[in-house]
Amino acid sequence: MAELEIDRFRTFMDEWTQACLGGYLRNLKARPSKSYQSGKEFNDAIWTTVVLRPLEVLLLDSPLLQRLRHIRQLGVVHLVYPSATHTRLDHSLGAVHQISELIGGINADEPLIGSSLESLMRVSALCHDVGHGVMSHVSENAVARYRDARRVVRAFQKEVKLEKRKPSEIAAYYMVRSPAFKELLAEAERVSGEHKLPAEAPNLIAKAIIGRQVDSDVPLLHELISGPFDADKLDYMTRDARLTGVPVVTDIPRLVQKVRGRRLATSELPKELKHSIPNETTTCTMTGVALSGGRTLDELVFGHTLLFDKIYRHQKVRAAEAMVAGIVDRLEPLCPRGVLSLPYLLNDAQLFELKPEVVEEVAGRELNESERERASVAIDLSARLKDRVLFRRAYAFAQNMPLDPYRSDESHRLGLVELTAAARRPDAREKLLPEIVQAVGEIVEVLDLEETLSSIPTSDLSPYIWIDPPKGKTQSNETPRAYLISDGAKAAPVMPFRDEYAETPGWSNAYLLTRDTGYVFTVEELALPVYLAMERLARRRFGVRSPDSMMPYAKLDWNDVEAAKQKLEEAGFYSSTPFDIRPEPDTFAKADFPDRLAEVRMRLDSYEGPVYEAQEKKRSTLMSESRIRGFVRQFGVEHSDEALTLLQRLRIFGRVELVEAVRSYLKQSEVDFASAVPLGEAKDSSAVTTYYVGDIADIKVRTLRDALGHEGNILFAEDFVGSGNQTISVLENLLDADRTVNLHEEREEPLPPDVRELFKARKLAIVFSRGRREGAINLEAAAKKLGLDLDVYLHEESAPSAKDASPEFLDRCKTIGRQLLQDENPNHDEEWIEERILGYGNEAFVVAFPYNTPTQTLTCLWKSGTVDGIEWVPLLPRRPKR
């Protein structure tokens, strides 16, 4: 299938090029040989004067290149930066100027690049963009979404054995290899009578355009057209910046001055270049940048990144590009020669003022009724573009969203990765769109917005909703491929730029990845419905929570969103949807709510929660007001006030409280303790609490076996005791005793028999910062049965509990806890579950520690799962035992 598609495209390009050049070729053939031998000088806004030679002028005058006058270099950017109206023709002339400058730098000391190759490079620069169609990269990116276009790209890459070729480059490759262009070049050479090109010049030009080697004696010559610091890049970066009024950091004249050529033995060349050079070749010309000019390549990377951020990825530019994509989408089925032919059937002026007769010219026939409806949408989008009635942002998302309170949640983080990946894949985007459109239709009906949509000429809203993903990278892989040339060092005459400045691509990509945002664009009338539809889809399909911080990116008012949500809630739009995207309860509208929320936020300031390997190493404070609000909303409107009251009673006990408990015990104890030892394994919280004991200078933190090898008594420190079963289980395992409790947790191997006796012979003490007296008593009894000399000290028995809440609220907590525990393990019997629905022991404690939450705490505070078929997001997630 791919081979058929590329054959069809190649044939189209041959025929289209012939149609462009037919009349011009007839006139050219009528001219005598050597009848045109004068060049031309062009005034240029960037380089002042650009000089073309006679052969180049004859090529430039052809309709094939003159059509570039009618194609804007930056597509739709002039709708944002009004002065950016320069064309592909302007840029092509600038590229010729830059290729001349580059070759002049290489030939500064000796003629390393001969006149024939110089002429080849100049013509290649002049023709390098001949494959661009309407609105340049805008239409190119639009057609690249289609399966047929992707097949052509894949087949071409396989054919030329190169990756990442763009449709415009493929088109240019076939144009300059077409019979018509070969004839044009031959006639131009005849009429000009000079500047002879190498044999097979059209094929060499085509190779240069796509970045293939054109000469083994100068193996990197093609990179002056398509490479790390090519003429294309040097012109468009300066031209685009100057004509948009954006400052540019790249010093192009200095970079050109630092370009070098050096004759080297093939043995001195980098390994990757030797593969492309014939075995009999002994020397060749190496091109690159002087070692002292390496930083100019840094500037090139950074300059491209800034242009990308400020111009090419400007949100209004992307909105206009989405509208062009919508036009292409409507016209694509009407193109008899495939979607890749469409950019060559229109020019910019036609696309900005699309008429029914132009659409019929594209189709090559009269349209039927359904096709006229499709065309009416394309014409409507064209009219909006012309009048600058552009799409607007309605929803924003990114893998790194500012002030994202859920940034550390694994499901949310992975959901953002999946959403971004789906937005980047054309097939996945097409699957998301019907769901969005359906939801928008429901919202429009509930909010009674049908009348406001009268300006849209179709009932199908899909052309007016476009998902534009964040960009993956700021730049291509070209710049790191550059080589640095030393002017005198024989040991290392050539150095890869990527080795010397390996960090440059990394930070340039990181810059944009932290800034670039994905948007869903739409018309003004649909902005609110699209936001609400996307928020629900992101939450239900991907588990992504849309933080309040992203709402300003969508230019929406929070009050308008909440008012719409109230109506949608009443209509059942949010049934079976997580509570955090539903309308906020009345409690949140009370005058005292901000103070209550701030109090809870302050109480939870020290909470860090568990950190998993896959999570970001750098993260914002886990607890935020948005996260607290989202948790409270899960209890439903009727219980939200008591849920907030519950959080106001929550206590976080940490390092200070634990050290205080140990000091209190040591002060009243009649014996000294030499070692503090974790009770359990590295996965247990005891590893953290024992580390805290190290704050007390007189006690050394050791492993149990190490402590038994030293003299002195042994101290254990724990944060919380509930029933005491957790500690009893650890002690029974250490001594390989009969198990009286079974927590279904994996334990380490018991102590060897001789070590057990040493353990039993020691004076032991365990200090709990907080907990239940009953649990301490149970532990004392169990230790006595095990033959241990163990003091159990409970520093503070009081701990806040939810037990004094209203019966109705407790019933809600029980319902939630029961479903969460059933969700965890369906094999747990009812008795086991009922003993834990309010936390293990059903004491309903409202207690946590900075690093983890005890199981005795109210289950709904720390357990994740589903409640009534809806995801439950705990406020204080507990690190699971593994």
Side-chain angles (χ1 to χ4, degrees):
M1 182 65 75
E3 286 73 18
L4 292 175
E5 291 293 342
I6 199 168
D7 286 343
R8 181 167 73 153
F9 184 58
R10 184 189 294 112
T11 301
F12 168 77
M13 289 279 69
D14 285 350
E15 294 173 356
W16 184 85
T17 306
Q18 176 63 47
C20 273
L21 294 176
Y24 185 74
L25 281 172
R26 286 192 293 274
N27 292 334
L28 203 58
K29 288 178 181 178
R31 301 176 69 167
S33 298
K34 301 184 179 180
S35 61
Y36 187 87
Q37 295 184 304
S38 60
K40 279 188 179 181
E41 295 180 352
F42 297 83
N43 290 332
D44 184 71
I46 307 302
W47 310 119
T48 308
T49 302
V50 175
V51 179
L52 290 194
R53 298 168 179 174
L55 180 142
E56 296 158 1
V57 174
L58 291 171
L59 295 177
L60 180 66
D61 285 344
S62 72
L64 190 65
L65 271 74
Q66 285 299 308
R67 59 180 282 275
L68 299 180
R69 287 185 183 275
H70 308 290
I71 298 174
R72 289 182 180 86
Q73 168 79 4
L74 294 181
V76 294
V77 168
H78 68 287
L79 296 173
V80 179
Y81 297 93
S83 59
T85 55
H86 53 297
T87 68
R88 285 282 156 184
L89 187 72
D90 305 336
H91 165 57
S92 296
L93 292 174
V96 174
H97 176 77
Q98 285 301 322
I99 203 76
S100 181
E101 294 289 297
L102 289 169
I103 292 176
I106 293 169
N107 285 346
D109 296 325
E110 58 178 307
L112 297 173
I113 297 176
S115 59
S116 178
L117 287 178
E118 181 193 12
S119 293
L120 179 73
M121 289 296 99
R122 288 176 60 92
V123 171
S124 298
L126 183 64
C127 298
H128 81 283
D129 268 352
V130 74
H132 274 290
V134 60
M135 291 190 183
S136 300
H137 290 298
V138 182
S139 65
E140 179 179 47
N141 294 335
V143 301
R145 299 182 302 112
Y146 294 90
R147 183 176 291 106
D148 289 352
R150 297 199 300 273
R151 285 173 178 160
V152 168
V153 170
R154 285 196 299 269
F156 182 79
Q157 290 173 174
K158 182 179 178 181
E159 176 184 320
V160 300
K161 296 179 175 60
L162 284 174
E163 294 183 357
K164 298 181 180 178
R165 296 299 99 188
K166 299 174 182 176
S168 62
E169 293 173 324
I170 299 172
Y173 181 86
Y174 288 137
M175 283 183 193
V176 299
R177 287 167 58 95
S178 68
F181 185 86
K182 290 178 180 177
E183 193 173 357
L184 170 66
L185 203 56
E187 288 299 320
E189 284 188 277
R190 181 185 65 80
V191 173
S192 65
E194 59 181 357
H195 308 305
K196 289 293 184 181
L197 296 168
E200 296 294 320
N203 291 341
L204 296 177
I205 294 168
K207 285 183 176 182
I209 289 172
I210 64 170
R212 289 284 303 274
Q213 189 181 89
V214 298
D215 187 82
S216 60
D217 189 60
V218 190
L220 296 181
L221 183 63
H222 61 285
E223 291 197 344
L224 301 183
I225 300 297
S226 180
F229 49 91
D230 56 49
D232 174 42
K233 199 178 281 91
L234 300 188
D235 180 77
Y236 81 67
M237 286 184 63
T238 307
R239 191 174 299 274
D240 292 354
R242 185 84 57 84
L243 295 178
T244 54
V246 173
V248 65
V249 300
T250 310
D251 188 348
I252 297 297
R254 178 170 173 79
L255 191 153
V256 171
Q257 289 175 0
K258 291 295 182 178
V259 172
R260 296 286 186 271
R262 186 173 174 185
R263 198 74 185 172
L264 297 175
T266 53
S267 60
E268 297 177 289
L269 295 178
K271 280 193 249 182
E272 56 266 29
L273 283 184
K274 292 179 182 177
H275 181 70
S276 62
I277 297 172
N279 189 44
E280 62 272 12
T281 302
T282 57
T283 62
C284 62
T285 296
M286 184 68 189
T287 56
V289 172
L291 187 61
S292 60
R295 289 302 176 188
T296 61
L297 292 174
D298 274 338
E299 291 177 9
L300 197 67
V301 175
F302 191 44
H304 188 273
T305 300
L306 292 178
L307 289 176
F308 207 92
D309 184 37
K310 293 181 70 68
I311 302 175
Y312 313 141
R313 294 291 288 176
H314 188 286
Q315 59 92 6
K316 274 300 181 185
V317 171
R318 292 163 63 186
E321 289 177 347
M323 298 175 73
V324 175
I327 295 172
V328 170
D329 182 69
R330 296 296 95 181
L331 298 183
E332 180 268 333
L334 307 179
C335 295
R337 304 295 293 271
V339 70
L340 279 175
S341 68
L342 181 57
Y344 309 98
L345 304 179
L346 295 167
N347 60 39
D348 286 16
Q350 290 174 316
L351 196 142
F352 266 99
E353 199 167 355
L354 204 57
K355 303 293 184 185
E357 54 270 25
V358 174
V359 177
E360 290 193 339
E361 286 180 19
V362 169
R365 57 181 171 78
E366 187 176 339
L367 306 183
N368 60 38
E369 185 176 347
S370 65
E371 289 172 336
R372 282 195 293 272
E373 181 180 350
R374 290 189 70 89
S376 69
V377 174
I379 292 168
D380 175 61
L381 290 171
S382 171
R384 290 172 186 258
L385 274 174
K386 180 187 176 186
D387 296 335
R388 205 185 179 278
V389 182
L390 304 181
F391 281 179
R392 55 155 290 177
R393 296 172 287 179
Y395 182 82
F397 64 98
Q399 288 186 223
N400 295 288
M401 296 187 285
L403 302 176
D404 183 0
Y406 299 100
R407 182 177 296 177
S408 299
D409 282 8
E410 187 77 349
S411 61
H412 174 72
R413 187 187 69 82
L414 292 176
L416 279 169
V417 172
E418 292 174 10
L419 173 60
T420 303
R424 287 176 180 157
R425 296 197 311 273
D427 55 339
R429 267 184 290 175
E430 292 304 316
K431 291 177 182 177
L432 291 178
L433 191 57
E435 187 174 341
I436 299 170
V437 170
Q438 181 179 347
V440 167
E442 295 173 23
I443 296 167
V444 165
E445 184 177 353
V446 171
L447 300 184
D448 195 22
L449 297 176
E450 290 92 342
E451 189 173 339
T452 65
L453 302 183
S454 58
S455 63
I456 297 177
T458 178
S459 58
D460 179 12
L461 300 178
S462 57
Y464 295 88
I465 302 171
W466 285 88
I467 305 173
D468 191 57
K471 188 71 174 177
K473 290 185 178 180
T474 66
Q475 56 151 64
S476 69
N477 293 325
E478 292 172 346
T479 307
R481 291 195 346 249
Y483 290 95
L484 303 177
I485 296 180
S486 173
D487 290 328
K490 290 185 177 181
V494 178
M495 178 186 300
F497 174 67
R498 62 177 176 269
D499 292 347
E500 183 69 9
Y501 303 106
E503 75 279 4
T504 303
W507 56 247
S508 66
N509 281 327
Y511 173 82
L512 192 65
L513 287 172
T514 58
R515 295 173 57 86
D516 204 45
T517 302
Y519 294 115
V520 180
F521 293 108
T522 189
V523 290
E524 181 69 36
E525 306 94 305
L526 288 175
L528 180 58
V530 168
Y531 173 83
L532 295 167
M534 267 305 300
E535 181 189 44
R536 190 179 75 164
L537 180 143
R539 187 70 178 90
R540 292 205 306 191
R541 175 75 71 87
F542 298 99
V544 168
R545 304 169 188 84
S546 305
D548 294 342
S549 60
M550 296 304 284
M551 198 175 290
Y553 286 75
K555 299 290 186 181
L556 288 170
D557 182 78
W558 184 88
N559 292 319
D560 292 341
V561 172
E562 277 299 304
K565 284 186 174 184
Q566 291 288 351
K567 292 182 180 179
L568 292 169
E569 174 81 343
E570 295 169 7
F573 181 78
Y574 289 112
S575 61
S576 303
T577 298
F579 284 91
D580 51 78
I581 64 170
R582 298 188 188 193
E584 294 190 335
D586 293 340
T587 300
F588 291 13
K590 303 294 184 184
D592 65 343
F593 175 70
D595 293 336
R596 298 173 70 188
L597 187 63
E599 179 189 348
V600 175
R601 171 69 180 81
M602 186 174 65
R603 283 180 178 273
L604 295 173
D605 191 57
S606 63
Y607 180 75
E608 299 174 352
V611 178
Y612 306 119
E613 183 179 356
Q615 289 177 200
E616 301 173 48
K617 301 302 180 188
K618 290 184 178 180
R619 52 189 194 130
S620 59
T621 303
L622 177 65
M623 201 54 59
S624 68
E625 292 187 359
S626 294
R627 190 182 183 97
I628 296 167
R629 292 160 75 117
F631 177 76
V632 170
R633 287 162 77 168
Q634 295 179 117
F635 286 86
V637 174
E638 63 272 27
H639 299 299
S640 61
D641 190 73
E642 281 198 273
L644 187 58
T645 300
L646 173 77
L647 298 184
Q648 288 179 274
R649 303 185 61 195
L650 181 65
R651 290 288 305 279
I652 303 291
F653 297 115
R655 186 173 196 152
V656 172
E657 289 80 8
L658 185 94
V659 172
E660 177 189 4
V662 173
R663 289 189 190 279
S664 176
Y665 170 71
L666 293 176
K667 187 175 181 179
Q668 70 180 45
S669 176
E670 297 179 356
V671 297
D672 295 327
F673 289 86
S675 302
V677 173
L679 186 61
E681 303 175 39
K683 66 184 179 181
D684 296 315
S685 61
S686 181
V688 178
T689 54
T690 306
Y691 174 79
Y692 291 166
V693 177
D695 292 351
I696 302 172
D698 295 338
I699 300 179
K700 301 296 183 184
V701 176
R702 296 184 171 101
T703 65
L704 179 57
R705 293 183 185 235
D706 189 26
L708 291 173
H710 286 76
E711 296 295 328
N713 302 315
I714 297 174
L715 178 78
F716 304 105
E718 289 284 353
D719 44 35
F720 195 85
V721 61
S723 64
N725 285 341
Q726 182 75 32
T727 307
I728 293 171
S729 173
V730 172
L731 293 174
E732 288 178 345
N733 178 73
L734 285 173
L735 299 174
D736 200 20
D738 293 336
R739 307 302 196 263
T740 61
V741 294
N742 186 3
L743 301 180
H744 305 286
E745 294 180 6
E746 293 183 5
R747 298 289 184 197
E748 293 181 341
E749 290 295 319
L751 296 172
D754 56 332
V755 179
R756 287 178 219 160
E757 295 307 314
L758 289 174
F759 186 53
K760 288 182 178 181
R762 288 295 176 90
K763 176 63 182 176
L764 310 172
I766 184 165
V767 175
F768 291 100
S769 174
R770 299 291 188 279
R772 297 171 60 206
R773 177 62 58 190
E774 180 185 348
I777 293 171
N778 290 342
L779 178 56
E780 285 179 336
K784 190 174 182 179
K785 287 182 180 179
L786 292 169
L788 295 174
D789 183 6
L790 176 69
D791 286 348
V792 179
Y793 175 75
L794 178 59
H795 180 60
E796 190 174 315
E797 186 175 353
S798 63
S801 169
K803 279 197 169 181
D804 56 355
S806 71
E808 294 79 13
F809 182 72
L810 273 183
D811 285 343
R812 175 63 177 157
C813 290
K814 289 177 181 178
T815 299
I816 295 168
R818 184 178 295 109
Q819 292 191 43
L820 293 176
L821 292 171
Q822 288 172 337
D823 193 46
E824 176 187 25
N825 189 341
N827 296 325
H828 285 150
D829 58 40
E830 285 300 316
E831 182 181 356
W832 186 94
I833 291 172
E834 290 301 318
E835 290 174 354
R836 293 165 173 79
I837 56 176
L838 293 177
Y840 286 26
N842 281 334
E843 292 293 335
F845 288 121
V846 193
V847 172
F849 301 96
Y851 45 83
N852 210 7
T853 307
T855 55
Q856 292 83 5
T857 289
L858 196 63
T859 303
C860 59
L861 278 168
W862 57 266
K863 186 79 178 74
S864 60
T866 56
V867 176
D868 299 328
I870 300 171
E871 179 188 12
W872 182 267
V873 182
L875 183 66
L876 309 170
R878 176 175 167 76
R879 176 171 58 84
K881 296 284 187 179
R882 289 188 175 90

